Amino acid sequence: MTRYDRYSLSTDQQQQKQTLNSPSAAAAADRKLDTVAVAPGTTMTDEELLLLERANAERDEIFLRYDQGRKCDSIDAWEDPMFEVYTQADRYGFLHPVAPAQSKEAELLQHRIEMERVKKWVKMHKNWDAAATKENLRRRVMKGIPDRMRSAIWRKLLDLDRQIRENGGMYDRMLDCARRHSPDIRQIDFDVNRQFRNHVFYRERYSVKQQSLFRVLAAYSMYNTEVGYCQGMSTVAAVLLMYFDEEDTFWALDVLMTNQRYAMHGLYIVGFPKLMRFLAHHDRILTKCLPKVKKHLDKHEVHSVLYSLKWFFVIFIERIPFSLCLRVWDIYMMYGERVLTAMAYTILKVHKTKLLRMKDMDQVTDFLQTSLHKQFGYDDDYVIKALQSSMDELKKLKLLNLPPPSANELPTMPRGQTVEPSTKARIGHRNEQFSEREIALKETVLYRSESKNEEEEEQYNNGVQGAGDRAATAEDEDDERTEKDYDDITEDTVSQLHTGVSTSSLRTIQSFTTFDTGTSLATSLNSLVIIDSFDDYCDNDRIIEESTRL
């Protein structure tokens, strides 16, 4: 039984409970939404009616929990980790068990430089439309936006004031609509609690920022129904929420998804057309500019899809240090999608020598997915200068820009004109009838996890050096396997990524990616099955995680 199977209340009973506990939520639910065009009634079986009732009760219960926030009386211990194992937070709010090493002199120098830049940025912000600002903007963005000015400047670069002015009241209407109809609430709830578990904003269950993140994603799932919700969106929205309030984040997410400069919509829709363009273009760049590295990666079967998903899907979050990631985000806001191809090339270029010394797939993938995030090896200024050089180099070679997009990479339907989801979508993936292949794959995932647990326990009992430390801190790990995680597998079907980029046949690859329950590709995880054809995958609308946690 999963955490939501216990909900047997009817929709009416659940709404009555919500009315008693959350007057504001009840008032919102009582408002009639003129943006929803209800589909003509269809005959449903008794089983479908039961499942639909269960889905409605589940959605109402999840919203109730977020409305209650920290006052919710059913927060499990595993959902709300303790702070005691961490010594301090860095300047961006991330908690560390060991204080980041930085000398007092370096810290004072960094502070002095940033304060000087703040003065210039304040002046530019006040005179945003002036000729001097337009002349200096690109150069100063490359030098880095001071963190205390990042919110104001991102707001200008994304033109959020215009978005909010032209769409007054839309966010509240979409949030109300999500309370009634969104089929993605269950998956959004799971992912909100997985997001940035070591950040002060998101660590506590149902904290203010978790509430905001949940509401933004819920509202957007109804505003842009062609995408709905995909796990990668939670990562992007979580970073935006570090600098914006709730409604601003909603519109910033929409700009990143639909503006042609960024067009992240094409990354998250079924079929992932923009991902395929990114991967193919990245391979062309490597073949032209880094042939030795390309040959070395191909020799060890390290295809670009193995290491670059978080580069393209979530703009390098959790693949490079966060301070550097923010610098890349600054430039991305300024220049758009071409920054991603140039930064992907830059990472491999600056680490070329180290990569060529690696002798197998595991070394390469661990380095690109884990090691660089902890210690990139170069300071941020050096990397940004290398990025600028890469952009100039690729521009000369006419490789900076992606090939033209397909027609479906931008929304084809008006946003905000929500049609009530189908019965199948509202019920969700609660069908207990799995194929033999899905059952076998589910058992394989469980077997791997159980085997790893047994191996760690055996190492601990035998006194292997270091195992004790791992066991002592295991319950504080962000991606620890729990019984609740395994329950997710029993609730849903299992999918595979059909890349079309890889030439390998059916095989298991560690440290790759995961999928969300019902829309599209998302964030990196622990294991995946790759097969030859991508087209078959695009037709499969029952997509979920093979792995179980971030």
Side-chain angles (χ1 to χ4, degrees):
M1 173 167 28
T2 69
R3 57 185 297 193
Y4 296 117
D5 283 338
R6 63 181 180 273
Y7 303 146
S8 57
L9 297 176
S10 70
T11 304
D12 293 336
Q13 289 172 318
Q14 200 68 23
Q15 289 177 344
Q16 183 179 5
K17 181 179 177 181
Q18 183 168 333
T19 301
L20 294 174
N21 289 277
S22 180
S24 60
D30 288 337
R31 290 197 293 270
K32 182 174 179 61
L33 300 177
D34 55 6
T35 57
V36 177
V38 180
T42 56
T43 303
M44 292 189 288
T45 65
D46 291 342
E47 181 181 4
E48 287 177 330
L49 287 170
L50 182 62
L51 291 174
L52 181 58
E53 182 180 33
R54 174 186 168 193
N56 290 335
E58 175 184 295
R59 185 179 62 250
D60 293 341
E61 174 68 13
I62 293 172
F63 264 104
L64 176 63
R65 285 175 171 235
Y66 282 93
D67 290 338
Q68 292 174 334
R70 293 294 294 168
K71 295 180 181 179
C72 180
D73 58 1
S74 56
I75 300 175
D76 295 329
W78 72 273
E79 293 182 303
D80 204 10
M82 303 298 289
F83 283 88
E84 282 76 0
V85 296
Y86 294 96
T87 58
Q88 71 176 54
D90 63 23
R91 64 176 301 195
Y92 301 108
F94 288 94
L95 300 168
H96 302 275
V98 178
Q102 188 176 23
S103 67
K104 276 283 187 183
E105 293 76 10
E107 188 175 343
L108 289 172
L109 176 61
Q110 179 184 5
H111 178 72
R112 186 162 59 249
I113 292 173
E114 181 161 334
M115 290 307 297
E116 288 297 322
R117 287 180 176 170
V118 166
K119 295 177 184 178
K120 297 177 182 179
W121 278 99
V122 168
K123 184 177 179 180
M124 288 175 58
H125 182 259
K126 289 181 178 178
N127 302 280
W128 188 254
D129 296 323
T133 297
K134 295 177 180 179
E135 180 181 347
N136 295 325
L137 183 60
R138 294 177 182 271
R139 176 173 53 84
R140 288 182 178 168
V141 165
M142 296 301 294
K143 287 186 176 182
I145 302 173
D147 196 60
R148 66 188 64 196
M149 291 297 298
R150 197 161 261 130
S151 173
I153 302 304
W154 282 7
R155 187 181 188 88
K156 290 290 188 181
L157 292 173
L158 296 176
D159 198 13
L160 294 189
D161 291 330
R162 182 185 60 81
Q163 286 284 101
I164 295 172
R165 185 171 60 251
E166 294 178 356
N167 296 278
M170 178 64 75
Y171 174 68
D172 291 333
R173 291 198 295 274
M174 291 299 101
L175 185 56
D176 289 345
C177 188
R179 287 182 181 274
R180 292 174 178 252
H181 301 290
S182 177
D184 300 306
I185 295 303
R186 177 173 177 267
Q187 186 61 45
I188 291 172
D189 176 45
F190 281 141
D191 293 337
V192 164
N193 198 35
R194 295 171 178 173
Q195 196 59 60
F196 292 137
R197 298 270 287 179
N198 62 333
H199 194 280
V200 293
F201 282 173
Y202 301 102
R203 189 166 179 78
E204 289 187 327
R205 191 63 170 125
Y206 305 116
S207 63
V208 171
K209 284 295 185 179
Q210 278 204 10
Q211 291 174 296
S212 293
L213 180 59
F214 172 80
R215 288 192 289 262
V216 167
L217 296 172
Y220 199 78
S221 72
M222 299 306 293
Y223 181 69
N224 186 349
T225 53
E226 290 180 82
V227 170
Y229 169 71
C230 173
Q231 285 174 327
M233 294 163 59
S234 66
T235 306
V236 174
V239 173
L240 293 171
L241 267 171
M242 294 178 189
Y243 294 94
F244 295 135
D245 65 20
E246 198 172 300
E247 186 172 0
D248 289 349
T249 297
F250 175 86
W251 291 113
L253 180 63
D254 185 55
V255 172
L256 293 179
M257 295 286 285
T258 60
N259 188 289
Q260 292 187 6
R261 180 184 295 178
Y262 317 104
M264 296 184 75
H265 181 97
L267 290 173
Y268 298 126
I269 59 175
V270 174
F272 326 122
K274 190 162 188 175
L275 171 65
M276 302 312 297
R277 283 200 299 134
F278 267 125
L279 294 176
H281 191 63
H282 179 67
D283 285 339
R284 280 196 296 272
I285 291 174
L286 294 189
T287 301
K288 178 72 174 179
C289 304
L290 292 173
K292 290 184 179 179
V293 172
K294 181 69 165 64
K295 183 177 180 181
H296 182 71
L297 296 178
D298 289 345
K299 174 184 176 182
H300 296 295
E301 297 185 336
V302 183
H303 304 286
S304 57
V305 70
L306 277 176
Y307 58 81
S308 64
L309 288 183
K310 279 203 170 181
W311 294 2
F312 302 134
F313 266 92
V314 292
I315 321 173
F316 298 93
I317 297 171
E318 296 179 335
R319 286 296 178 263
I320 57 179
F322 193 70
S323 60
L324 176 58
C325 185
L326 288 175
R327 296 282 299 274
V328 174
W329 274 56
D330 293 341
I331 303 168
Y332 179 67
M333 299 283 189
M334 182 81 246
Y335 290 97
E337 61 185 22
R338 52 185 167 167
V339 174
L340 304 188
T341 58
M343 185 61 188
Y345 169 54
T346 301
I347 291 175
L348 299 184
K349 181 173 69 172
V350 299
H351 294 290
K352 173 182 175 180
T353 302
K354 187 173 290 187
L355 287 168
L356 291 175
R357 291 174 182 167
M358 296 178 181
K359 302 185 182 301
D360 57 44
M361 175 194 290
D362 289 340
Q363 273 189 299
V364 175
T365 55
D366 182 69
F367 176 71
L368 293 175
Q369 293 185 353
T370 305
S371 300
L372 288 182
H373 175 58
K374 297 176 181 178
Q375 180 54 256
F376 196 83
Y378 300 92
D379 65 52
D380 295 353
D381 289 334
Y382 176 88
V383 178
I384 296 303
K385 288 179 181 178
L387 173 58
Q388 177 69 72
S389 175
S390 296
M391 292 176 70
D392 294 339
E393 178 186 352
L394 294 176
K395 185 177 181 180
K396 291 179 182 177
L397 296 172
K398 297 183 179 179
L399 290 172
L400 182 58
N401 296 314
L402 291 170
S406 56
N408 65 335
E409 286 193 22
L410 288 173
T412 58
M413 296 170 53
R415 300 186 303 286
Q417 303 294 318
T418 308
V419 176
E420 183 178 348
S422 66
T423 300
K424 181 178 179 181
R426 284 183 290 160
I427 288 174
H429 301 290
R430 293 175 176 79
N431 191 346
E432 300 299 334
Q433 301 299 318
F434 301 107
S435 69
E436 293 181 2
R437 185 176 184 181
E438 290 166 350
I439 293 172
L441 186 53
K442 178 189 74 174
E443 292 175 350
T444 300
V445 174
L446 293 175
Y447 175 76
R448 288 180 194 159
S449 301
E450 291 168 357
S451 299
K452 186 171 182 179
N453 283 337
E454 291 172 1
E455 180 182 348
E456 291 176 351
E457 184 178 356
E458 183 179 353
Q459 288 178 342
Y460 177 80
N461 292 334
N462 292 338
V464 177
Q465 184 177 7
D469 293 336
R470 289 194 300 273
T473 60
E475 64 184 14
D476 296 304
E477 291 289 338
D478 293 346
D479 59 351
E480 180 182 352
R481 299 169 302 279
T482 68
E483 182 177 350
K484 290 182 175 61
D485 299 323
Y486 301 146
D487 286 339
D488 297 346
I489 302 176
T490 63
E491 280 285 305
D492 302 296
T493 58
V494 182
S495 66
Q496 298 83 29
L497 174 64
H498 305 248
T499 64
V501 176
S502 171
T503 56
S504 59
S505 48
L506 188 64
R507 57 195 301 268
T508 300
I509 296 182
Q510 280 191 337
S511 217
F512 194 45
T513 179
T514 184
F515 303 89
D516 71 353
T517 58
T519 40
S520 47
L521 183 62
T523 51
S524 296
L525 278 190
N526 298 324
S527 59
L528 178 72
V529 176
I530 294 183
I531 67 178
D532 289 332
S533 171
F534 187 80
D535 295 332
D536 295 337
Y537 169 74
C538 300
D539 294 331
N540 183 1
D541 62 354
R542 300 171 64 198
I543 306 167
I544 69 147
E545 304 170 359
E546 175 196 339
S547 298
T548 56
R549 290 239 355 137
L550 280 171

